[in-house]
Amino acid sequence: MRSGEPGRVTGAQEGSDGPAGAAPIEAQAGAGTDVSGEPPTVDPTERVELLLRDLRSSRSGLPSREAARRFIHYGANEIRRRGGRRWPRELLLQFTHPLALLLWLAAALAWAAGIIPVAVAILVVIVINAVFAFVQEVQAERAVEALAAYLPAQAKALRDGRVQVLRAAELVPGDVLVIEEGDRISADARLLEGGIEVDLSALTGEAMPVFRSADLADTGVGLLQARDLVFSGTTCTEGAARAVVFATGMRTELGRIAALSERVEREESPLERQVRRVAWLIAAIALALGVAFIPIAAFGAHLPLGDAVVFAVGLLVGNVPEGLLPVITLALALGVRGLVRRGAVVKRLSAVETLGSTSVICTDKTGTLTENRMRVTTVWTAAGDHVLAPAERRAGRDAAAGGLAVVMAACNNAQPGAAGGLVGDPTEVAMLEAARVLGDGRPGTRLRQFHFDPVLKRMSTVDERDGGVWVDTKGAPEAVLPRCATIMEADGVRAPLTAERRRAVERVVDARARQGLRVLAVAERPLAADRPPPERRDDAERELTLLGLVAMQDPPRPGVAEAVAHCHSAGIRIIVVTGDHALTAAAIAAQVGIVGDHPTVVTGDRLDRMSEDELDTLLRDHHELIFARSSPEAKLRIADALRAEGHVVAMTGDGVNDAPALRRADIGVAMGRSGTDVAREAATMVLTDDDFSTIVAAVRSGRQVYDNIRKFICYIFAHSTPEIAPFLVFALAGGAVPLPLTVLQLLAFDVGTETLPALALGREPAEPGIMKRRPRRRSEGVIRGSMLVRAWLFLGVICAALTLAGFFYVLLRAGWRPGDPTGPGTPLNHAYRQATTMTFLGMIAGQVGTAFAARTERASLRSIGPWSNPLLLWGIVFELALAAVLIYAPPFQALLGTAPLSADMLAFVAPFPVIVWGADEVRRWVLRRREDRDRQGAASVPG
């Protein structure tokens, strides 16, 4: 008896009142059936007679009335999603995000303080960001609905003893399916008669169609490998058969994958968690400052309580970064747009940043690392190698090469397609193309076909041509050579295939395999014209004549090796997780530089036998890993194990079987060209070019976006100190020093002049060496202590000192002394208004210097170019023009309490940007020198 796959109950159960064949209660609930008690299961691998008995069916199918009763019992043959509408909750979450709550608080405080325009502006920001983020998020929740597309709308089944066309949703266990070439199979079923080729790639990832026959039976293999079973969602590519249905809807292998996808919940991205933390940090700081200012102002500065509250509200609103959420959204949206141009469609904005923190990429092989296009490179005959080229057709050839071309065309199911191309299995297309190059390659009339058998690893046809009947065979050399008795010489003579010549052929096979090439042997045998073609495979595939060997490859994509090298320099680990054969995957991985000569290769069977601790140890101790013949559960286990170790995981996939792993990974990457709809819906990012290099470009873009978000936050935090300093000076002086900045001037600075430069920092080009850093840890915060020190205690203190210097310069120059009155009607009132205007302009000038300083964290400004961000330059022009309007336009002078500044005052402020930027440039130069010394010291340490 064959072993069931993980999660499947096998073995018939006795003593039930209901029909057999139902799945466990969990799957049944997923299908929406209403059944009391636990229904029994069937073993689809038991003898056909026992299976039909347990299903209470027969080879002639079910009566219509019995099928109707079973439909009520089992429910529709559909893939269903649990739960109801989610969009109201999703939309509400966008309005209750911590940063959104902070903005709500800022709007309420501004409204309470009577600053209505500011309150309205903040509300508009909240709505725009919530709607925009919601539209992006809802696109990522359709994986299970896409699975439903894999069930065909109609199916043919035996009902009442005759073939009827039914809705696929009406199929029930016990129905007998009629399967023909081109049909998409509607349910999991056991073949009763006939043989078909089935494309299982959507479930297993295997590119080649496999042969399934009622006459084949295996023991000790998983259900997907059983050669007499077919599965829902796969396609019949050739042949005809009848099969009894043993599972429908959510009880099928397809439904099991859908259930896995449902149970895999999407977690917050690293950026979403960090933004949440930043929001609470900013809220705590703003509230603490606002609350602390009231007693200081009321008791220390002897201000009326009402005025103290107004000033506290000003501090609160001033410390709320209204532009934080728009800038983050803009930076991510720009990253998404840039990736679309590179061939990657990202369905969730925060995924762009997650890509930047990726530390492990689990990649498939076919179509991602390779072109998914087989090509014959050389053929070998007894005369030697033939390197294929268009000119080869006109060159002289030996007889074996000509015969090889004929057999490659005859034992082949590829067909002419549109525009003169070929359609079919990539291997057979490649061989037919090679046959056209080597010779005419015109097949005769096919009399019989023995399908490719993945266990026997060979395929044969019986063909009539040139007045005779021939057996034409191709397959793995180890499967074909033992059946060959002779070898075709260059002159067409069939010479005995001696032991020595066999060893010579095997040496050629080994040499090609070491080059990462797939090798097939091609042979033929003439049959007597007066005898009928053999009925049995063993009778046909014997005493063959070896014509030669065909070496082919699925070449690596151009640029993949370079992209892999970039990953290695960036500290990103690459693990190959594929449904393909281990040797093929290892060869390609070595060619593109993912692994060396001795990688660790783990098959799906071996992985299934591993405990969680063993898998953790394997992933931790073996850096060069290849997982071959991987199941959906295996990919899930790998993703979970890596995430448990703190890695940020990107997982590629293209089949239905990849959907759960794509949802579990931090970044699920689906193939846009070769991938299934299910994989594309489950994934976070879709590669429109199916190219591994695009993943690396996306990682680079993600790192750039993350850097820009950090630059913006540093820019915002650097202004907290100069915003707070005037109020602290006023309060701590006990009223002897007039307030250096009015609340309305603070709001004009915070909402008006700060926004555009902040947005422009989201467009910063990548710093040099961005792909030479190690990936940051999953737990690493977007705000680090070094950033706060730089923003608050370095840039902020410099800006605050310069700003207050400008304030006191104007007052002292006018003859002010501490305690002198500066209110309306006093001689110093105009000078005081100029002094507060000087504070306002000084903060803007410091803001310009901070913007240039924040453009890099370590590199010099010259290395990225002072003018490389035009949007920032225009933003600075805008804020300077706005400052001129606020200072010199009479209406704003009356509103904000500003006054025109003289030429010497403007000259005093002019150096502020250079001082701020220059100080930070020196700081960064010192840091680079220190890091260089540390690296040199580490390099000089022996061992």
Side-chain angles (χ1 to χ4, degrees):
M1 183 176 291
R2 287 170 292 215
S3 60
E5 298 203 340
R8 178 177 292 279
V9 179
T10 59
Q13 299 180 12
E14 303 292 340
S16 172
D17 296 332
I25 285 293
E26 177 181 320
Q28 182 173 285
T33 58
D34 182 15
V35 187
S36 60
E38 183 177 355
T41 64
V42 298
D43 176 11
T45 67
E46 63 185 343
R47 287 192 298 115
V48 170
E49 291 76 12
L50 295 178
L51 179 62
L52 289 172
R53 181 202 66 186
D54 291 342
L55 289 172
R56 284 187 263 166
S57 184
S58 68
R59 293 179 181 269
S60 59
L62 296 173
S64 296
R65 290 171 61 185
E66 173 62 18
R69 284 194 293 269
R70 295 191 184 194
F71 182 82
I72 296 173
H73 183 87
Y74 292 106
N77 178 31
E78 296 174 342
I79 303 298
R80 296 185 180 180
R81 179 175 187 159
R82 299 183 182 95
R85 294 183 301 170
R86 299 185 180 184
W87 70 263
R89 176 175 174 270
E90 296 287 344
L91 183 59
L92 180 62
L93 287 176
Q94 303 303 328
F95 284 99
T96 56
H97 184 279
L99 199 54
L101 293 176
L102 193 58
L103 293 178
W104 282 113
L105 175 62
L109 292 173
W111 190 282
I115 315 169
I116 306 302
V118 173
V120 173
I122 295 174
L123 291 176
V124 170
V125 169
I126 294 172
V127 172
I128 291 176
N129 279 282
V131 173
F132 188 69
F134 169 72
V135 170
Q136 292 292 325
E137 295 295 336
V138 295
Q139 297 180 16
E141 299 297 329
R142 297 175 182 166
V144 178
E145 287 88 341
L147 282 161
Y150 273 75
L151 293 179
Q154 293 183 326
K156 294 186 287 292
L158 291 176
R159 291 275 179 92
D160 300 320
R162 57 188 177 86
V163 177
Q164 297 185 28
V165 178
L166 313 170
R167 289 193 310 116
E170 297 176 359
L171 288 175
V172 295
D175 267 325
V176 174
L177 282 176
V178 178
I179 306 171
E180 296 175 342
E181 182 175 336
D183 288 348
R184 181 171 284 173
I185 297 169
S186 313
D188 289 3
R190 167 81 173 270
L191 294 178
L192 299 176
E193 60 182 70
I196 55 176
E197 284 194 352
V198 183
D199 179 4
L200 288 176
S201 61
L203 285 176
T204 65
E206 185 67 54
M208 292 186 63
V210 297
F211 183 59
R212 294 288 185 256
S213 172
D215 298 330
L216 301 175
D218 298 308
T219 58
V221 299
L223 294 184
L224 289 176
Q225 284 72 50
R227 294 182 295 171
D228 54 354
L229 300 183
V230 292
F231 299 95
S232 174
T234 60
T235 303
C236 173
T237 60
E238 186 175 338
R242 294 189 177 187
V244 61
V245 173
F246 63 83
T248 58
M250 297 298 289
R251 307 175 187 89
T252 63
E253 290 295 297
L254 191 68
R256 184 171 60 87
I257 294 173
L260 283 174
S261 296
E262 278 287 270
R263 290 194 291 269
V264 176
E265 295 292 337
R266 186 184 74 80
E267 298 181 1
E268 279 188 321
S269 73
L271 178 66
E272 290 169 329
R273 286 193 294 272
Q274 294 303 324
V275 169
R276 193 178 297 274
R277 292 175 186 172
V278 170
W280 291 124
L281 176 63
I282 293 173
I285 293 172
L287 287 172
L289 289 174
V291 172
F293 184 81
I294 294 177
I296 293 175
F299 302 107
H302 307 292
L303 289 177
L305 183 61
D307 291 344
V309 171
V310 171
F311 288 134
V313 169
L315 275 178
L316 279 172
V317 176
N319 278 282
V320 173
E322 289 84 357
L324 179 60
L325 201 55
V327 168
I328 291 176
T329 303
L330 176 66
L332 295 175
L334 291 173
V336 168
R337 191 175 68 176
L339 287 176
V340 169
R341 291 195 295 266
R342 291 297 304 267
V345 177
V346 178
K347 299 191 295 182
R348 195 171 72 238
L349 288 182
S350 60
V352 178
E353 180 276 335
T354 308
L355 278 163
S357 58
T358 298
S359 57
V360 179
I361 298 176
C362 297
T363 179
D364 201 349
K365 177 192 73 68
T366 303
T368 309
L369 301 177
T370 66
E371 296 179 354
N372 196 22
R373 183 178 59 84
M374 298 298 293
R375 178 172 60 87
V376 175
T377 58
T378 59
V379 297
W380 176 92
T381 67
D385 287 336
H386 297 259
V387 180
L388 294 195
E392 183 83 19
R393 182 190 298 274
R394 296 184 294 274
R397 301 181 312 277
D398 59 89
L404 191 74
V406 173
V407 175
M408 284 196 296
C411 188
N412 199 308
N413 290 322
Q415 299 292 331
L422 297 171
V423 294
D425 176 74
T427 298
E428 298 201 324
V429 168
M431 295 191 73
L432 190 53
E433 289 175 342
R436 291 178 174 179
V437 173
L438 278 177
D440 292 336
R442 289 194 294 266
T445 302
R446 180 175 297 182
L447 303 178
R448 180 161 294 141
Q449 174 176 320
F450 298 100
H451 292 267
F452 174 78
D453 189 308
V455 176
L456 299 178
K457 299 180 181 178
R458 60 181 181 266
M459 167 187 174
S460 296
T461 57
V462 180
D463 303 289
E464 185 177 14
R465 62 173 181 271
D466 301 330
V469 179
W470 302 76
V471 173
D472 298 317
T473 300
K474 72 170 186 285
E478 65 271 21
V480 175
L481 281 176
R483 302 220 158 224
C484 293
T486 58
I487 185 171
M488 178 75 74
E489 298 282 12
D491 56 3
V493 175
R494 300 174 190 269
L497 187 59
T498 63
E500 182 178 351
R501 300 200 73 166
R502 286 181 189 274
R503 286 193 293 271
V505 173
E506 289 169 354
R507 285 195 293 270
V508 174
V509 172
D510 291 341
R512 299 291 187 271
R514 283 193 293 270
Q515 297 170 6
L517 301 176
R518 182 182 182 189
V519 183
L520 295 181
V522 179
E524 68 177 11
R525 177 166 75 96
L527 299 176
D530 58 346
R531 300 188 63 181
E535 296 284 344
R536 297 175 62 249
R537 186 172 204 138
D538 286 341
D539 294 335
E541 296 172 342
R542 63 183 179 84
E543 297 179 359
L544 300 172
T545 297
L546 179 66
L547 298 177
L549 303 172
V550 180
M552 62 184 70
Q553 68 172 165
D554 181 5
R557 287 179 175 273
V560 167
E562 181 182 0
V564 168
H566 284 314
C567 283
H568 288 163
S569 66
I572 299 173
R573 182 182 179 188
I574 304 174
I575 298 175
V576 178
V577 184
T578 178
D580 287 336
H581 192 278
L583 294 179
T584 306
I588 292 297
Q591 287 181 31
V592 299
I594 293 177
V595 298
D597 296 332
H598 305 288
T600 301
V601 181
V602 180
T603 62
D605 291 340
R606 179 184 166 194
L607 180 61
D608 289 341
R609 294 192 298 270
M610 284 185 179
S611 66
E612 297 303 322
D613 290 340
E614 289 173 334
L615 177 58
D616 292 343
T617 302
L618 175 73
L619 292 169
R620 191 166 47 245
D621 296 345
H622 297 265
H623 189 75
E624 296 183 351
L625 271 174
I626 295 174
F627 291 92
R629 304 300 192 197
S630 300
S631 66
E633 290 85 359
K635 289 191 173 186
L636 268 178
R637 288 186 66 195
I638 293 167
D640 282 338
L642 289 168
R643 284 163 52 85
E645 290 290 320
H647 292 289
V648 177
V649 181
M651 174 80 72
T652 72
D654 54 9
V656 173
N657 61 323
D658 294 321
L662 291 177
R663 287 176 63 86
R664 170 66 76 189
D666 296 282
I667 294 292
V669 184
M671 303 299 108
R673 292 180 179 176
S674 60
T676 61
D677 289 341
V678 180
R680 286 191 287 268
E681 289 295 338
T684 312
M685 182 171 76
V686 179
L687 301 182
T688 58
D689 54 6
D690 293 9
D691 194 341
F692 180 85
S693 304
T694 305
I695 302 176
V696 180
V699 170
R700 185 180 187 276
S701 178
R703 291 188 174 192
Q704 177 183 346
V705 167
Y706 184 80
D707 280 358
N708 290 346
I709 291 172
R710 283 175 51 84
K711 292 170 186 177
F712 163 75
I713 294 175
C714 178
Y715 172 80
I716 290 292
F717 276 24
H719 301 150
S720 297
T721 305
E723 288 178 350
I724 296 167
F727 293 92
L728 291 179
V729 167
F730 167 71
L732 296 176
V737 176
L739 186 64
L741 185 73
T742 68
V743 174
L744 288 178
Q745 287 171 353
L746 171 63
L747 290 170
F749 169 80
D750 202 47
V751 178
T753 64
E754 186 179 69
T755 305
L756 277 185
L759 292 172
L761 286 173
R763 295 289 301 272
E764 273 296 313
E767 290 189 37
I770 193 171
M771 287 299 286
K772 293 183 180 179
R773 309 177 195 159
R774 306 293 298 178
R776 66 182 183 276
R777 296 184 303 276
R778 177 185 289 272
S779 59
E780 181 179 314
V782 69
I783 296 178
R784 294 199 290 263
S786 58
M787 175 197 286
L788 297 179
V789 170
R790 181 191 182 194
W792 287 342
L793 301 181
F794 187 77
L795 292 171
V797 167
I798 293 173
C799 289
L802 292 174
T803 297
L804 290 175
F807 172 76
F808 286 112
Y809 166 76
V810 174
L811 277 184
L812 293 173
R813 184 170 172 271
W816 171 85
R817 295 294 179 268
D820 289 348
T822 57
T826 63
L828 291 174
N829 181 252
H830 179 72
Y832 170 69
R833 289 166 61 93
Q834 283 186 316
T836 59
T837 305
M838 192 72 164
T839 304
F840 175 68
L841 183 61
M843 290 174 62
I844 294 174
Q847 193 178 60
V848 173
T850 302
F852 278 105
R855 292 187 62 193
T856 65
E857 291 192 48
R858 290 287 189 274
S860 67
L861 183 61
R862 188 177 68 175
S863 66
I864 64 171
W867 324 117
S868 58
N869 188 347
L871 185 60
L872 178 62
L873 301 178
W874 284 111
I876 291 172
V877 170
F878 171 81
E879 71 172 334
L880 292 177
L882 180 61
V885 171
L886 297 178
I887 292 172
Y888 292 100
F892 289 102
Q893 291 176 353
L895 176 66
L896 302 178
T898 56
L901 299 179
S902 61
D904 66 299
M905 297 175 188
L906 295 177
F908 189 91
V909 174
F912 286 8
V914 178
I915 294 173
V916 174
W917 162 76
D920 195 69
E921 190 76 15
V922 172
R923 183 194 65 85
R924 283 181 273 121
W925 177 79
V926 171
L927 285 176
R928 292 196 301 272
R929 288 290 298 269
R930 184 184 303 166
E931 290 173 353
D932 290 342
R933 285 197 303 269
D934 292 343
R935 281 194 295 267
Q936 292 171 3
S940 64
V941 175

